[in-house]
Amino acid sequence: MELLRKWLGHPEDIYNLLRFKMGGYRAVMPRIDPDSLGRGLRTCYRYLNQTSRSFAAVIQALDGELRHAVCIFYLVLRALDTIEDDMSISLDVKVPMLHEFHSYLYQPEWKYMESKEKDRQVLEDFPTISMEFRNLSKVYQEVISDICHKMGVGMAEFLEKKVDSQHEWDKYCHYVAGLVGIGLSRLFSASELEDPIVGQDTELANSMGLFLQKTNIIRDYLEDQLEGREFWPREVWSRYAKKLSDLAKPENIDMAVQCLNELITNALHHVPDVLTYLSRLKNQSVFNFCAIPQVMAIATLAACYNNKQVFRGVVKIRKGQAVTLMMDATNIQAVKAIMYQYVEEIYQKIPSTDPSSNKTQQVIASIRAMSLPGGPMASRHHYSPIYLSCAMLLAALSWQYLSTITKATEEYVQAGEN
């Protein structure tokens, strides 16, 4: 009954869960017919679905040959990331592998059979992935190989190096996520579904990746602490605690929340770039692919802002809220309205005594200037009381049924953007 109580507090979520379940998901996540693919590509899409909770659906919704290029791009970077994450590989072996990984794309027989990571199948069957890579158009191959090379070098740099300054935080996030944004943007332009400027403006593409990565790092403080990982920049947290782990101690919770708010303020500085980037996109499938993770991220930051729970457990947006965002974020005016909604939510929670309050207010003012409501707000869905009442009644009658929403969809909306 707890699930029912949560839904009754957010009737718009109930309506959208119903709408999504009854076919609305096809508008944002149409799936491809596996029978239309060759054996190698079928295998690659199977690996995609096995290794990605959040990207698999939206990748398969992309148009034309771009879909296959992005699928292969994802799997290549997943293989690279699996090597970086595998603590059973000694540094004297791992560092050269990271540096040379891009060259393995052109070695038909290369594979790695000694990984202990859960996604090791992408390394053990790398010949299938690299074969499909070589089947892509040369323009896609060049982008994927280049990004893979740069990311491998960056990963190697941070293997034995902690993130100290905010500049290094940006640099680390560039290597692991900004380069993904840049690579994807170049693929979008190479497909001719988007204008050349999308792939050429690397600063905006980098911001797209940094916003998502910083959101994940901020949200995952406790999980990373429990697993011995530290990604919060020392330059920031050292003003609030002697050790990063000290922020999780109950007696330090006030200082911890102030540190959290400062990092969220830092992440919000990327939102104007995100809005500018999205405003340039023309293809609907590309827009959905890019916009959905970004609105999930702003909703996540709003949930985390000034929230002690970040240091006590997991902060997640509601499933119904995630579905609403997925179904609404289909045009730039709707995205601006969503961004406006969540920065206003943050603004209302800014403590007057917070050391970062002035900076937070300033960055929110810049986001407001780009996403003021009026016409844009009209593009968000607003439901009449009769629809909401019907949705509440349906939820009361069938909440158990709705809680079993398809596994793929549930995993996607739970992941936010991993």
Side-chain angles (χ1 to χ4, degrees), residues 16-85:
N16 282 310
L17 277 167
L18 285 166
R19 210 158 55 101
F20 193 85
K21 180 66 178 176
M22 294 172 70
Y25 63 90
R26 295 191 187 95
V28 290
M29 295 195 310
R31 299 184 70 82
I32 59 174
D33 177 12
D35 294 335
S36 67
L37 307 174
R39 177 186 292 182
L41 271 178
R42 278 202 306 273
T43 299
C44 287
Y45 279 103
R46 186 173 78 249
Y47 292 154
L48 174 67
N49 284 294
Q50 290 172 350
T51 58
S52 172
R53 293 183 303 168
S54 51
F55 279 115
V58 285
I59 287 175
Q60 291 173 87
L62 288 168
D63 289 340
E65 62 182 14
L66 177 62
R67 176 192 306 135
H68 302 326
V70 174
C71 173
I72 300 304
F73 186 39
Y74 175 87
L75 291 176
V76 168
L77 297 188
R78 173 57 64 190
L80 180 65
D81 191 56
T82 300
I83 289 174
E84 192 237 0
D85 286 343

